[in-house]
Amino acid sequence: MFGYVMINQPELKIKDFERYRSYYCGLCESLKRRHGLIGRSMLNYDMVFLVTTLSDLYDVKDEERCCRCIMHPFRRHCERCNTVSDYCADMCVLLSYHKCVDDWNDEKKLNRWILSRLLRRKAKKVEKLYPEKASFIEKKLNMLSIVEQAKNTPIDKVAKLFGEIMAEVFVYKDDFWKEDLYKIGFYLGKFIYLLDAYEDIELDLKTGDYNPFKEICRNENFEEQ
């Protein structure tokens, strides 16, 4: 359900793309440093977007270095790490853990159960750092599971719950930017949920899994709608 907010690289200047990539690599480094190699595998574009947004908005001090890594063993690249990238790394692991648990509960995918066990201790560590956020996210995910099981809940109401989860993640501090960041996270979360459902509709029809578009996907004007 993550990884939809990608850059349009041809439209970026080289220096802007290099800066974006340095934040991408910086988040990857924060994930590895705080949560190990399994944490690094949770890296996704949506959280890179949050890193770049919060880093610029709060003008945090970056620690920049050029290095090689397991993903780029033959080419040096730049990494930008800061307090924001550490926060986003923690949120990335927390959300990934809950997603794995949800996939196991709903679809009994063994690989998701294994991954959830690997992430469990790391997620618990994040919960201790951000108890209020962790509690809110878990509560909303439980509500999301309930309304999905109901199967006849209006699409907007279901997407709203995931929007509230992302809104909570986007609110970095309780300050002047809180309301704007909440709105960005909320509508981005709804977008991610609906786009994920749209991409999965054919598979979900075959497996019988929940999808909010099941009732209307056979309509002639579904693609336009």
Side-chain angles (χ1 to χ4, degrees):
M1 192 180 285
F2 301 104
Y4 288 104
V5 187
M6 301 174 67
I7 58 171
N8 185 4
Q9 186 176 338
E11 295 297 320
L12 292 182
K13 295 179 180 178
I14 294 176
K15 66 180 181 66
D16 293 328
F17 174 68
E18 291 297 330
R19 186 175 180 84
Y20 172 83
R21 187 164 62 179
S22 69
Y23 279 118
Y24 179 96
C25 292
L27 178 57
C28 184
E29 173 61 25
S30 289
L31 280 163
K32 186 193 77 168
R33 175 167 40 82
R34 296 173 73 82
H35 303 290
L37 292 177
I38 190 66
R40 171 179 268 177
S41 67
M42 300 300 106
L43 178 65
N44 67 73
Y45 291 114
D46 301 340
M47 283 299 159
V48 181
F49 170 70
L50 182 56
V51 169
T52 58
T53 301
L54 294 179
S55 295
D56 188 57
L57 196 61
Y58 286 100
D59 196 25
V60 294
K61 183 179 180 180
D62 297 326
E63 293 182 11
E64 188 174 3
R65 67 177 185 136
C66 293
C67 60
R68 292 182 175 88
C69 69
I70 192 171
M71 299 302 295
H72 306 282
F74 304 112
R75 179 174 59 83
R76 291 174 65 83
H77 61 281
C78 292
E79 297 176 348
R80 290 177 186 267
C81 294
N82 53 45
T83 53
V84 165
S85 56
D86 288 345
Y87 165 77
C88 291
D90 290 343
M91 292 298 105
C92 196
V93 165
L94 184 63
L95 290 172
S96 297
Y97 166 72
H98 283 297
K99 180 67 169 65
C100 290
V101 171
D102 185 61
D103 286 346
W104 166 248
N105 290 335
D106 291 345
E107 305 168 31
K108 301 303 178 185
K109 293 181 179 179
L110 182 59
N111 64 329
R112 309 308 284 179
W113 179 83
I114 294 173
L115 188 54
S116 70
R117 300 302 294 181
L118 292 173
L119 289 172
R120 183 178 180 181
R121 184 177 296 178
K122 303 177 188 304
K124 294 300 180 183
K125 183 174 70 173
V126 175
E127 289 175 359
K128 290 181 180 179
L129 293 174
Y130 310 97
E132 292 184 4
K133 283 185 180 292
S135 176
F136 180 88
I137 290 171
E138 185 174 9
K139 175 184 175 182
K140 290 296 178 179
L141 284 170
N142 288 336
M143 292 175 63
L144 181 61
S145 180
I146 292 172
V147 297
E148 286 182 344
Q149 290 173 15
K151 297 185 183 300
N152 59 350
T153 309
I155 293 174
D156 195 59
K157 185 176 181 179
V158 185
K160 174 178 177 289
L161 287 170
F162 193 74
E164 290 173 339
I165 293 170
M166 291 302 290
E168 182 68 19
V169 172
F170 267 63
V171 175
Y172 183 53
K173 295 180 180 180
D174 187 3
D175 61 5
F176 174 80
W177 297 111
K178 178 180 179 178
E179 183 177 346
D180 291 325
L181 286 170
Y182 184 94
K183 288 180 180 178
I184 294 173
F186 177 74
Y187 289 110
L188 182 63
K190 291 182 69 175
F191 167 76
I192 291 172
Y193 186 87
L194 294 175
L195 191 57
D196 182 69
Y198 175 76
E199 286 200 333
D200 288 348
I201 184 63
E202 294 297 332
L203 177 62
D204 290 339
L205 287 173
K206 293 178 181 178
T207 61
D209 293 330
Y210 170 80
N211 191 297
F213 293 127
K214 272 188 176 180
E215 299 299 321
I216 64 173
C217 68
R218 300 303 186 190
N219 295 348
E220 290 185 4
N221 65 336
F222 173 62
E223 292 293 330
E224 181 180 349
Q225 184 179 354

